[in-house]
Amino acid sequence: MKTLRLVLSFALLCGLTTGLHAQTTGDIAGKVSVAGEKGLEGVGVAAFGPSLQGSRVTITDDQGRYRLTLLPPGQYNVTFNLQNFATETRSDLTVFLDRVTTLDLVMRPTLEEQIRVVGEAVVDTTTTSVTTNLNTRAIETLPTGRNYSSIVQVVPGISSDNNSENTGQTHVTVYGSAGNENTYYIDGVNTTGVEYGFQGKELNFEFIKEIDVKAGGYEAEYGRSTGGIINVITKSGGNEFRGDFFGYFDSDSLQSGAESTVSTAGILEGFERADFGADLGGYIVKDKLWFFGAFDRVSNTISSQLPSGPQAGDVVDSESTRVLGAFKLTYKMADNQTLIFTYFQDPREDTGAINDPNHSLNGDPLTYTGKQDFGGRDYALRYEAVYGSNWLLTAQVSRHGEENSVGPASAAGDIVQERDVANNFFQTGGFGLIQDKEFTRDTIGASATRFLGNHEIKFGVEYEEQEADVIKRMSGGQQVDMFANTVNPGMPIYRHFYWTTATAALTDPGGPAISQLDATTKHEDTSLYVQDRWKLRPNLTLNYGIRWDRQEIISSRGVREIDLNGDFSPRVGLIWDPSRTHNSKVYGSFGRFYEKIPMDLVIRSFSSERQPRIVNYDPVSTVPDAAAESDFMTASQILGGFNSVPDPDLKGQYVRESILGWEREMRPNLALGVKAIHRSYGEVIEDFLCDTLGTYCIGNPGRGLMENSIGLDYVSIFPAPTAERRYRGIQVDVTKRFSNNWQGLASYVLSKLDGNFDGGYAPFTNVGADPNISAAWDYYDFFTDGADLTRITNTGNLSNDRRHQLKFSGVYFTPFKMSVGVAGYWRSGTPLTRYGYSDAYGRYEFFLDKRGSEGRNPDTYEVDVHLGYPLKTGRVTVNFMVDIFSLLDAQRPILLDQRWGFAEADNASPTPVNPDYGEPILRTPPRTIRMGLRVSY
């Protein structure tokens, strides 16, 4: 029934003057003039290219201006034709995703002289957006991982997120944001992870045509992100049949020896990755119906040496298989009207040794042997049209699906898990956390652009409905942590963790009942925006607009618990072209950018989640024991409630951003840019303990219900600190467009990130993401070392503070046809902090000294190289490829262990109780060679 409603709604949208905001095309625009810069009216302008069905045509207006819209990224020939003037063609003009390519001409009568082409501009003088385009040439030639989140890290201002779970370095931070604050689009589909906000879809490079990365300064049509916008479009086929067979392989036999770490994830002993697939694009009807299809099977086996226990030194395997696929149909309904159907998938199954934030290899086999399922399938139907010379319309309906489930390999693992805290949480018994989670996001949206004199007015609407179906429980019903008893050494203390019912009490006979979390929740999100690109003068453009977002959060009971209906985002930018030739600009922008709350909050805060922490001397019983609580100095408690209580005046979470920049084309195809970026939080949404009865509320730190904070003693009340995160950066970048067989990008960023709140992800807790419901404001004590509540220690340099980042990347095609790609970086280390353990929460919540007071992680640097050689035989080209990652084999520590101890009593120790404190838990990878072969026809 839902699918039928979406299709009917789409049909209705196609009949309206509206379309969708996620861009999949670019534009060519400019001015045709005669001597004296007088605009020339009536010039016929047409664009032709292999990416476009037929041609796109227009006529210059009374001021000589023209615009060719809805052009798929690629190479184009543009012709200009007017009676009594010579016809001229501009060849190989590049159109980038979501960019305006400017092309001006000065024309004279045929008898006087030929047309003079002013040229294609390198600098986009129409926007304040800090944008980098990565085309097919860069995607196929730069040495990066096979996930598109790897290649975006060559973009200035972007680096890997600083957290121990980011082992593949695929979570990215943009200008100080956390790794789950970005928005990801593929072919206009919002593929951002539904539950936590990370990248929600994988797509291998053979499917991709272009990637557009907006790091900041973007206009009102883009929202729901406090980080960056990563926009990917896939290939579409064409009037010729083209395809590939491809394969990539690497293993530990092609890798240097890996230096050791102290991670409970085990020691890497070996691996083998194989990535094989095929794609084909072409036509069913020339210039009418195109298709593209691709399939890719990725298998990965990782062998790890167990770090401890009776099986220490044994090697276990983790098997992973991912089936990637894509299919697209592009149908030209009529001149200037196109209908596009897109499908892509990324289901993945992991078996064997499960090694993730909730399951480590530090234990017996039943505690880590399991099965995981990820990924899903996405669909989209998109309509694009140009009506006359003044209206541009698009509309799209889509569905995004994803799964994230994990459980034991067999029923034998469904027993209670026990962890020995003093022995670095060594696990015995069963599998631990079991999850069965499925998510969908249905979207329908539209936008319309009206070209009206000196104005380019765009307005749009979008509606999203997200649903979650989640079950969480512990194997055997509970997880038990065993602590050494310093008061009575012969009687170890056991803390029992599990989910219980909405009515359970500590005084119940037998203790609070063992249950599970069942959540069937929903989000309904609505967005409206209007923006205007106003040419105040030929060389002065004002971009201004406003966006309104509404997010309705609906609980498992069907109750609308939160309604954020006042999220207005003003955006304004000014661009001055001092040369009047589109080769330089001075610009500034200011904007407000709201977060879209991931579904983790509604799952945990509005689904009757209640989690007992029962303290006693018994490894099985869940009955509290007063004597054990006295020895442990922590009472038994039930955290959570039937529902958290939202502040009735809750404000949406947003950041303020200001950018001031200058760009100039220093020579043909070479541009230099300098930018100053400032970002800071305006409001933050978090949960907290809001009364002495144990009720949790959701509010804005420092105001309303959240004006005060309660201590862990459930008695003391303190003023709640406001949330602070400030990013200040200076960026210098150099861009070389492809010419003379090479292209390149280099950047340097000097920045500072400080405050008391990392954002959507708190890496120091070591338990994974909990956006908007982290424990940061749960108790006032968590702003301190837990002992001296008069001294705030949770402030200083934040986790993603990197003072210096230097990057370079480039592609070169040698005279003997070999392609060479290089990417390298040097960046300063992130801050080090003493993190103290909380017995009540079972994780690291205390700051034993000021943030960053322990110095910094080491600086890191590396260089990667790609070599490709094409061998052509007739219509077939065989491309032999070699990628050398970590050429310098530096293996620098990325993160050091910052856990001071393993129990709250350890926090007071003058020296670290954790023997691994300060040791590397994550390093840059060893030198690795990946072999590849692509047969193209």
Side-chain angles (χ1 to χ4, degrees), residues 677-708:
I677 305 101
H678 182 275
R679 279 182 173 178
S680 63
Y681 268 127
E683 293 283 5
V684 160
I685 293 176
E686 270 292 338
D687 69 338
F688 66 110
L689 186 74
C690 53
D691 63 33
T692 56
L693 301 176
T695 303
Y696 281 76
C697 293
I698 296 174
N700 303 120
R703 61 178 299 275
L705 280 183
M706 215 167 171
E707 184 176 1
N708 294 313

Side-chain angles (χ1 to χ4, degrees), residues 236-311:
S236 301
N239 283 332
E240 295 183 5
F241 291 101
R242 298 182 182 275
D244 304 283
F245 294 100
F246 54 86
Y248 299 84
F249 176 82
D250 60 327
S251 72
D252 56 281
S253 63
L254 300 173
Q255 184 184 74
S256 64
E259 295 190 24
S260 63
T261 64
V262 296
S263 172
T264 54
I267 302 169
L268 181 66
E269 279 291 307
F271 70 94
E272 182 175 291
R273 281 189 290 259
D275 183 345
F276 297 96
D279 62 76
L280 177 65
Y283 64 91
I284 299 173
V285 180
K286 278 192 174 182
D287 279 330
K288 189 73 173 177
L289 182 59
W290 291 354
F291 74 91
F292 174 80
F295 173 84
D296 189 5
R297 185 180 186 275
V298 184
S299 61
N300 186 11
T301 300
I302 298 175
S303 300
S304 303
Q305 185 184 117
L306 299 179
S308 56
Q311 288 85 26

